[in-house]
Amino acid sequence: MTSSNHENAAGPLMRLWGKIGGFALKLKKLGKDDPRRIIHSFKMGLALTLVSIFYYFKPLYEGFGLAAMWAILTVVVVFEFTVGSTLGRGLNRMLATLTAAALGVGAHRLATLSGETGEPILIAVFVFIMAGIVTFLRFIPKIKARYDYGMLIFLLTFCLISVSGYRDEEVIEMAFERLSTIVIGSCTSVIVCIFICPVWIGVDLHNQIATNIEKLGNFLEGYGEEYFKVSEEGQPRDKSSILDGYKSVLSSSSKEETMANLARWEPRHGKFRFRHPWKQYLKVGSVTRQCAFKIEALNSYLISEIQSPPEVRNIIQEASTAVSSECGKALKELASALRKMTKSSAAEPHIANSKDAAENLKSVIRSSLSKHDDVLQIIPAGAVASLLCEVVKCTEEIADATHKLASLAHFKNAKPKVTPEQKELPSQGIVLPVSGIDGMHHVITINEPSQSLQENRNLPPAMAPRMEV
Amino acid sequence: MTSSNHENAAGPLMRLWGKIGGFALKLKKLGKDDPRRIIHSFKMGLALTLVSIFYYFKPLYEGFGLAAMWAILTVVVVFEFTVGSTLGRGLNRMLATLTAAALGVGAHRLATLSGETGEPILIAVFVFIMAGIVTFLRFIPKIKARYDYGMLIFLLTFCLISVSGYRDEEVIEMAFERLSTIVIGSCTSVIVCIFICPVWIGVDLHNQIATNIEKLGNFLEGYGEEYFKVSEEGQPRDKSSILDGYKSVLSSSSKEETMANLARWEPRHGKFRFRHPWKQYLKVGSVTRQCAFKIEALNSYLISEIQSPPEVRNIIQEASTAVSSECGKALKELASALRKMTKSSAAEPHIANSKDAAENLKSVIRSSLSKHDDVLQIIPAGAVASLLCEVVKCTEEIADATHKLASLAHFKNAKPKVTPEQKELPSQGIVLPVSGIDGMHHVITINEPSQSLQENRNLPPAMAPRMEV
């Protein structure tokens, strides 16, 4: 009885304690998964503290007065996790404020010409028209993708300046104060964001594309074994397999597009130059997703209840496993070269092997599988085989897309692995994979030291960021 | 010569004119595609004009002074296309301002206790800590999904109030002014958004889920004919077919999640009640997407270069077409019932038919396809057949999910089509499809007049919106 009473009394407290503990664990995991989040939180605190200096130093405060709060507001709104996002918002905000302040002052001047009664009416008409136009323009997909925030701030500033002008005669001074505090806030954000442990969204996109290819590679490397293990044990595998990594690739499209849009705002950094071919990343992402759809179909044969019997599968085991694992190796080579930002032809032999294996698989099917009487039993295994052949094609497409990316982005040569066939290649040459008429890849060597890359590196930093936007 | 000169002179002007024309056409298309966009732009103009009345009427202006600009700012930032989005932002903004203003005043009081030198230091420490905590909390996925804007505004207001307090002694008055103008701005936005041609994101989500199911249905209805037409003509179809509608379903997941998150902010409207089961929409969306992946695989056999020869396909033509078109019909019935918000068992006979057709297809394969010698030629057709059998399963899953949605959302009964078997069912009963042990669907009838629905309808309107957030 007593213990039960104790439990009852301690119950709610314990539960609350348990909830707090669970929440703390969740927070800890959040920080552990990506420690940059913790750094970002400190950076936000720093940026806000820096900008609030405006209020503490009298000379600065006397220059701006109450308008100084716009600087604080700007930092809170503009400071984002990645450089691309912060720069995009900062530039959008500054440019939109500049144009809108000019237009707002103009609208105010025009309105005052029409006398005391006409002024509010005219301003109301201006506000109505401008709000309608800007709101409608925000629906244009291209504008929405990159300038949505700018359009919002444009409308905001235009309304504030033109409407406040009705009560406050010093419109120009107000517009100037607003603009300069916003510039200060935006610059504080951008500087803190770039110079203290910057998070480049371009790098994130680059890594994500490489990781996605790698995930498909992991699946394919493990698929053969997994598929025929199932066949031996005679029951489908449990669903929490590590092979499920590819699933996130299926729905990655919108995230990649957002990242590419933000990456365009970033100046050159590390190996990422100005005008890095972000669009090509989207193309690589798109062919990778196509391959992921095939893999989703392959995966459904892993978990399907209708399976070919072991004796049927055993016939195609060797050839299928070869196709799958060679494709997997090729994809992992491509991913690793992409991650290191090198031009590499290390995937070529694997692709060639996978093609040979696919031909072999077809002849095995033609010769041996035909001997079985029950077509229904052959079909699942046959479908897996034909999907594997399509995966070979997808792998080639991914290889083409990444090679194109490597040449567009002027990736450096990988240190060539000196295989017997390649021994005569000079190590300075750039190895370019080229699709021939027969669809096979040849290796062409161009003796061009990567001088242009070095020259680009020495560009003055002012050239790098897209200040024209 | 002269004409060429003329062309040169007119060239740039003509090109500019052409560009303007192209832009105008784009805008026209944008409005035509969704006329609600034009209405929304007008609404934005109206809301901003309404709120700028603050500046024109002296008594109102004298109450708030310059702080009235916060009302304008709030309208620009809060007013969004859909009711859910506007309400979410408005409530987030108001609640965050309320709590942050209270905390900011408290922080200011605490800081003044520490003397003139200590005050700015203590405030800076408060700002730094609060900025760090709030910024980190924004990474929690659940908070990011629904309260991200609120967290931003909370941080903003806390900093503004506590920092401004250093220069402006009337902190409480400032906090009150800020809060009340933000309430006015938010309420103006919400009222204009709800009472003039409201765009409910819940309705959009509902329609999109139904449309997605319908798209799959369209594909399946047309697939049989298309696949065997290809076989007759001996070449793959052109790629711009209307069958491609399903492709948008593949990447719909993140959009659906955002919509469901926003829909939860919306009060009851039309047939959508308070606590409408938005989560179940996501489940329906998810099984629909699973089916779309199968269809993507089916589609790849339409455009594939490796095809079974016509004589092989002709064997399975009749049975395959039956499976595909029955599944298509079932999905279209489900979509149409969902769109009308009715409980309907009109899809059941089609699902039963598709199962029969799938069994038939299997026996056709077993009996006739086995006679062919070249297994390689059989496999593509066999794979299509086995995919069709999986589509039957997916169709059942979609049916289960939509039926569950119908019962969770208390959809009304469809006027039953009086088929001979159903004649004895009373028309007032609710027809609930239930999965039996054998996997077939039975129809159970419950004689319950939909009174609870009527009762809910009569709830006072104040109960409906989620005012607790």
Side-chain angles (χ1 to χ4, degrees):
Chain A
M1 277 289 278
T2 326
S3 94
S4 152
N5 268 353
H6 260 287
E7 262 171 36
N8 277 346
L13 261 181
M14 287 298 283
R15 248 177 290 146
L16 185 70
W17 188 242
K19 269 194 183 173
I20 292 174
F23 186 67
L25 276 180
K26 211 187 262 175
L27 288 186
K28 198 179 160 194
K29 190 177 171 298
L30 215 62
K32 220 174 180 181
D33 284 351
D34 193 347
R36 299 179 303 177
R37 288 171 179 158
I38 301 171
I39 298 171
H40 172 67
S41 305
F42 276 103
K43 280 161 72 182
M44 180 63 141
L46 181 69
L48 268 175
T49 315
L50 274 180
V51 90
S52 61
I53 286 178
F54 270 89
Y55 267 82
Y56 306 142
F57 285 103
K58 222 171 179 179
L60 281 173
Y61 177 75
E62 271 160 11
F64 292 109
L66 271 173
M69 71 177 171
W70 286 106
I72 297 179
L73 195 146
T74 301
V75 169
V76 176
V77 178
V78 163
F79 199 89
E80 294 254 327
F81 186 54
T82 60
V83 175
S85 192
T86 307
L87 254 176
R89 284 177 88 87
L91 292 177
N92 259 309
R93 190 173 175 99
M94 287 191 280
L95 217 88
T97 306
L98 179 68
T99 47
L103 264 176
V105 170
H108 167 73
R109 282 283 158 87
L110 210 66
T112 45
L113 290 180
S114 62
E116 213 167 292
T117 345
E119 191 183 339
I121 298 173
L122 213 58
I123 288 181
V125 170
F126 285 152
V127 165
F128 185 85
I129 292 173
M130 195 58 96
I133 292 175
V134 171
T135 308
F136 192 70
L137 288 181
R138 283 176 72 195
F139 285 113
I140 299 175
K142 268 189 194 170
I143 290 183
K144 193 163 189 64
R146 298 197 66 195
Y147 306 109
D148 194 52
Y149 185 64
M151 298 300 270
L152 188 87
I153 296 299
F154 176 87
L155 182 56
L156 182 64
T157 307
F158 178 82
C159 292
L160 285 187
I161 301 282
S162 60
V163 172
S164 321
Y166 183 61
R167 291 286 170 193
D168 193 341
E169 282 311 303
E170 287 156 346
V171 185
I172 293 187
E173 197 186 313
M174 183 173 58
F176 176 74
E177 269 177 4
R178 187 171 151 76
L179 181 61
S180 47
T181 47
I182 280 177
V183 168
I184 290 168
S186 299
C187 290
T188 311
S189 308
V190 168
I191 288 169
V192 171
C193 192
I194 291 186
F195 289 100
I196 303 176
C197 308
V199 177
W200 303 100
I201 200 159
V203 177
D204 279 10
L205 174 62
H206 178 90
N207 288 336
Q208 180 172 331
I209 297 282
T211 308
N212 282 353
I213 297 178
E214 206 177 355
K215 280 177 182 169
L216 303 192
N218 283 335
F219 178 94
L220 289 171
E221 267 204 334
Y223 183 73
E225 202 189 325
E226 197 73 20
Y227 183 66
F228 296 103
K229 194 175 76 190
V230 176
S231 121
E232 277 158 24
E233 291 165 5
Q235 58 186 4
R237 74 201 171 109
D238 75 301
K239 286 184 179 179
S240 63
S241 160
I242 46 154
L243 291 189
D244 281 350
Y246 78 92
K247 293 228 183 240
S248 65
V249 184
L250 295 172
S251 59
S252 57
S253 106
S254 63
K255 197 180 161 201
E256 282 168 13
E257 257 167 56
T258 313
M259 288 171 101
N261 271 324
L262 292 176
R264 280 192 208 131
W265 292 107
E266 292 181 348
R268 55 186 297 146
H269 52 92
K271 288 179 181 170
F272 294 83
R273 306 172 326 133
F274 179 47
R275 292 198 183 282
H276 198 72
W278 301 116
K279 269 194 184 170
Q280 186 63 23
Y281 279 94
L282 293 184
K283 280 184 194 153
V284 176
S286 159
V287 288
T288 308
R289 211 154 27 251
Q290 283 305 317
C291 187
F293 289 141
K294 307 280 176 210
I295 282 179
E296 169 77 9
L298 270 178
N299 189 49
S300 73
Y301 284 102
L302 271 189
I303 53 177
S304 168
E305 287 157 24
I306 311 157
Q307 302 271 8
S308 292
E311 62 270 21
V312 174
R313 295 186 185 201
N314 287 345
I315 299 169
I316 61 162
Q317 174 162 8
E318 199 182 336
S320 300
T321 310
V323 174
S324 167
S325 88
E326 286 296 331
C327 282
K329 279 177 195 158
L331 287 178
K332 282 173 93 172
E333 286 288 354
L334 289 171
S336 133
L338 181 58
R339 198 181 289 278
K340 291 182 206 144
M341 304 191 82
T342 52
K343 280 177 183 163
S344 158
S345 52
E348 303 304 317
H350 294 298
I351 290 178
N353 288 348
S354 72
K355 280 179 175 175
D356 293 346
E359 285 306 319
N360 184 23
L361 178 58
K362 278 179 198 163
S363 65
V364 166
I365 291 173
R366 196 169 299 200
S367 62
S368 311
L369 217 54
S370 308
K371 287 169 195 158
H372 272 264
D373 292 332
D374 192 348
V375 182
L376 264 188
Q377 290 192 339
I378 299 174
I379 282 173
V384 165
S386 82
L387 275 169
L388 283 173
C389 294
E390 294 208 35
V391 167
V392 172
K393 263 191 229 158
C394 284
T395 307
E396 263 193 285
E397 277 170 24
I398 294 176
D400 288 348
T402 50
H403 288 322
K404 194 173 171 201
L405 173 62
S407 79
L408 282 176
H410 305 285
F411 286 172
K412 277 189 290 187
N413 269 358
K415 279 178 192 165
K417 291 177 188 170
V418 187
T419 54
E421 309 95 301
Q422 286 179 322
K423 242 177 193 162
E424 69 276 13
L425 297 185
S427 66
Q428 283 291 319
I430 292 172
V431 180
L432 284 176
V434 173
S435 277
I437 299 161
D438 56 357
M440 290 292 285
H441 284 269
H442 304 283
V443 173
I444 290 181
T445 310
I446 303 165
N447 273 314
E448 177 210 307
S450 50
Q451 199 179 355
S452 62
L453 196 69
Q454 292 302 324
E455 274 168 12
N456 279 334
R457 281 263 163 82
N458 297 328
L459 272 179
M463 297 286 285
R466 306 191 58 159
M467 294 309 260
E468 77 274 18
V469 188
Chain B
M1 277 289 276
T2 328
S3 93
S4 153
N5 268 352
H6 260 287
E7 262 169 37
N8 277 345
L13 261 180
M14 286 299 283
R15 249 178 287 146
L16 185 71
W17 188 241
K19 270 193 181 171
I20 292 174
F23 187 68
L25 276 181
K26 213 188 259 175
L27 288 185
K28 198 180 159 192
K29 190 177 171 299
L30 215 62
K32 220 175 178 179
D33 284 352
D34 192 347
R36 300 178 302 176
R37 289 171 178 158
I38 301 172
I39 298 171
H40 171 67
S41 305
F42 276 104
K43 280 161 73 182
M44 181 63 142
L46 181 68
L48 268 176
T49 315
L50 274 180
V51 90
S52 61
I53 286 177
F54 270 89
Y55 267 82
Y56 305 142
F57 285 104
K58 222 171 177 180
L60 282 173
Y61 177 76
E62 272 161 9
F64 292 107
L66 270 174
M69 72 178 169
W70 286 106
I72 296 179
L73 195 146
T74 301
V75 169
V76 175
V77 178
V78 163
F79 198 89
E80 295 253 329
F81 187 53
T82 61
V83 175
S85 193
T86 307
L87 254 177
R89 284 177 88 87
L91 291 177
N92 259 310
R93 192 174 175 100
M94 287 191 281
L95 216 88
T97 305
L98 180 67
T99 48
L103 265 176
V105 170
H108 168 71
R109 283 281 159 86
L110 210 67
T112 45
L113 291 179
S114 63
E116 211 164 296
T117 344
E119 191 185 340
I121 298 174
L122 214 60
I123 288 180
V125 171
F126 285 153
V127 165
F128 186 85
I129 292 174
M130 195 58 97
I133 292 176
V134 170
T135 308
F136 192 70
L137 289 180
R138 283 176 72 194
F139 284 114
I140 299 175
K142 267 188 194 170
I143 289 183
K144 195 164 186 62
R146 298 197 67 194
Y147 306 110
D148 195 53
Y149 186 64
M151 299 300 273
L152 188 87
I153 296 300
F154 174 87
L155 181 58
L156 183 63
T157 307
F158 178 80
C159 292
L160 285 186
I161 301 283
S162 62
V163 173
S164 322
Y166 183 61
R167 291 284 169 193
D168 193 340
E169 283 310 303
E170 288 157 342
V171 185
I172 294 188
E173 195 185 314
M174 183 173 55
F176 176 75
E177 265 177 6
R178 188 171 149 76
L179 181 62
S180 47
T181 45
I182 280 177
V183 168
I184 290 168
S186 299
C187 291
T188 310
S189 307
V190 168
I191 288 169
V192 171
C193 193
I194 291 186
F195 290 101
I196 302 176
C197 309
V199 177
W200 304 100
I201 199 158
V203 176
D204 277 11
L205 174 61
H206 177 90
N207 288 336
Q208 180 171 330
I209 297 282
T211 308
N212 282 354
I213 298 178
E214 206 177 356
K215 279 176 182 170
L216 303 192
N218 283 336
F219 178 92
L220 289 172
E221 268 204 334
Y223 183 73
E225 200 189 328
E226 197 73 18
Y227 183 66
F228 296 103
K229 194 174 76 189
V230 176
S231 119
E232 277 159 24
E233 291 165 4
Q235 58 185 7
R237 71 196 174 112
D238 76 301
K239 285 183 180 178
S240 62
S241 158
I242 46 155
L243 291 189
D244 280 351
Y246 79 92
K247 291 225 184 245
S248 65
V249 184
L250 295 171
S251 60
S252 57
S253 104
S254 62
K255 197 180 161 199
E256 281 168 15
E257 257 166 56
T258 313
M259 287 171 101
N261 270 325
L262 292 177
R264 280 191 209 132
W265 292 108
E266 291 181 347
R268 55 187 297 147
H269 52 91
K271 289 179 181 172
F272 294 84
R273 306 174 324 134
F274 180 48
R275 291 197 185 283
H276 198 71
W278 300 116
K279 269 194 184 169
Q280 186 61 24
Y281 279 94
L282 293 184
K283 279 184 193 152
V284 176
S286 160
V287 288
T288 308
R289 210 153 29 249
Q290 283 305 318
C291 188
F293 290 141
K294 307 281 177 211
I295 282 179
E296 169 78 8
L298 270 178
N299 190 49
S300 74
Y301 285 101
L302 272 189
I303 54 177
S304 166
E305 285 157 24
I306 312 158
Q307 301 272 6
S308 292
E311 62 271 22
V312 175
R313 295 188 186 198
N314 287 343
I315 297 169
I316 60 162
Q317 172 162 9
E318 199 183 337
S320 301
T321 311
V323 175
S324 169
S325 87
E326 286 297 331
C327 283
K329 278 177 196 156
L331 288 178
K332 283 173 92 172
E333 286 287 354
L334 289 171
S336 134
L338 181 58
R339 197 182 289 280
K340 291 183 207 144
M341 303 190 81
T342 51
K343 281 177 184 163
S344 158
S345 52
E348 303 304 317
H350 293 298
I351 291 179
N353 288 348
S354 73
K355 281 181 175 173
D356 293 345
E359 286 307 320
N360 183 24
L361 178 58
K362 279 179 198 164
S363 64
V364 166
I365 291 172
R366 196 168 301 200
S367 61
S368 311
L369 218 52
S370 309
K371 289 168 196 159
H372 271 266
D373 293 331
D374 191 346
V375 182
L376 265 189
Q377 291 192 338
I378 298 174
I379 283 173
V384 165
S386 82
L387 275 170
L388 283 174
C389 295
E390 293 208 35
V391 166
V392 173
K393 265 191 227 158
C394 285
T395 306
E396 263 193 284
E397 277 169 26
I398 295 176
D400 288 348
T402 49
H403 288 322
K404 195 173 171 202
L405 174 62
S407 80
L408 283 175
H410 305 285
F411 286 170
K412 278 190 288 187
N413 269 358
K415 277 178 193 163
K417 290 177 189 170
V418 188
T419 54
E421 307 97 302
Q422 286 177 323
K423 242 177 191 159
E424 68 274 17
L425 296 185
S427 67
Q428 283 290 319
I430 292 172
V431 180
L432 285 178
V434 173
S435 277
I437 299 161
D438 56 357
M440 289 293 285
H441 284 270
H442 304 282
V443 172
I444 290 181
T445 310
I446 303 165
N447 273 314
E448 176 209 306
S450 51
Q451 199 179 357
S452 63
L453 195 70
Q454 292 301 327
E455 274 168 11
N456 278 334
R457 282 263 165 82
N458 296 329
L459 274 179
M463 298 286 284
R466 306 191 58 159
M467 293 310 259
E468 77 275 16
V469 187

